[in-house]
Amino acid sequence: MCNWRNEVRTIFVLGFPSDVKERELQNLLRWWPGYEASQMNFKCDQPMGFALFSTVAMAMAARDALQNLVFDADTNSVLRAEMAKKNLFVKRGVAGDPCISFDGSKRMRTGGGDYSPAPYSAPYPSTYLTQPMTSPTPAWAPQTYGLPQPQYDQYGAYVAPQPLPITPSGYAPVQNTKDNPPCNTLFIGNLGEAVNEIELRALFSGQLGFRQMKVLRQGKNIVCFIEFLDVNSAMLVHTNLQGAVLSTSDRGGMRIQYPHNVYVYIYLISSKL
DNA sequence: AGCACA
């Protein structure tokens, strides 16, 4: 039998406040490498979260990152995460972009969970799932194709390549209704499919107070976290570049938000993902 | 320690 299909790559999360919404779990995990689907179960006395990942290793990484996470300071909710006993059941053949077409009526399942071979709509090419974890360029790795070779200073420390600064080719209104409180990190969404790290770095590294950034690719979706030295710098860029259109933009301007949970970014930037 | 959905 194909063992990997049956391996548990679902995490079980407890410790949410009783008024937690399913969307909150989704938004917390949506850009996590390997995230495929999640569900909140309210039938017991406390909400129980389940989230399916592409591989066991990715599930374990997410589990470790969620461990002891302060989900809600007001209610003192601290998360506890474990590997689940069984995989989250995922409806097959659920088409569409789970990140855009959330129907709200029923939990979103991104498909491809209870695997039979054919129509497969998980956010990863099925070939990816058969690749070993040591694959040099997994689908979710930051896009660095075509970047210059790594540069090192006289002390041997890595110096991120600094492309020539660019300015947006224009601005388009973006819907940004669900933002979060200002912090020193920005979350960039609604980028074009063809966007790459060079272009993003060329735009953001020239901004006042820029510290570092992390580009994430999940299937067709590319998102980016930008960290600034302080909240003011982030707020300036949040305003000034909101709706900025790049040469690669294919769905309007970029949406700039404060991240729902900065711990996700901190984890990503400090890991080698 | 508490693990559901189909």
Side-chain angles (χ1 to χ4, degrees), chain A residues 79-155:
Chain A
L79 301 188
R80 302 232 314 106
E82 296 169 18
M83 296 307 288
K85 290 175 178 160
K86 297 165 70 178
N87 269 330
L88 173 66
F89 179 85
V90 180
K91 279 185 196 156
R92 280 211 303 112
V94 179
D97 184 341
C99 303
I100 293 167
S101 59
F102 179 72
D103 77 4
S105 62
K106 189 77 182 152
R107 69 189 153 269
M108 177 52 69
R109 301 290 183 80
T110 52
D114 193 24
Y115 303 97
S116 13
Y120 182 77
S121 57
Y124 297 93
S126 51
T127 51
Y128 167 71
L129 296 170
T130 62
Q131 290 169 5
M133 280 304 289
T134 51
S135 168
T137 315
W140 40 267
Q143 282 306 91
T144 53
Y145 309 123
L147 270 185
Q149 286 305 300
Q151 305 290 307
Y152 298 89
D153 69 11
Q154 53 183 321
Y155 307 107

Side-chain angles (χ1 to χ4, degrees), chain A residues 156-173:
Chain A
Y158 174 71
V159 177
Q162 293 297 321
L164 288 176
I166 58 166
T167 52
S169 57
Y171 291 86

Side-chain angles (χ1 to χ4, degrees), chain A residues 28 38 92 115-116 132 158 203 213-214 234:
Chain A
L28 175 66
S38 62
R92 280 211 303 112
Y115 303 97
S116 13
Y158 174 71
L203 177 66
M213 57 184 280
K214 185 82 180 176

Side-chain angles (χ1 to χ4, degrees), chain A residues 182-219:
Chain A
C183 70
N184 73 333
T185 303
L186 298 176
F187 175 89
I188 317 295
N190 202 41
L191 293 162
E193 216 176 300
V195 75
N196 61 42
E197 178 160 349
I198 300 173
E199 192 177 20
L200 292 169
R201 195 169 284 279
L203 177 66
F204 288 108
S205 66
Q207 303 298 318
L208 186 72
F210 171 88
R211 185 135 71 177
Q212 52 183 343
M213 57 184 280
K214 185 82 180 176
V215 180
L216 280 184
R217 168 181 285 263
Q218 277 210 343

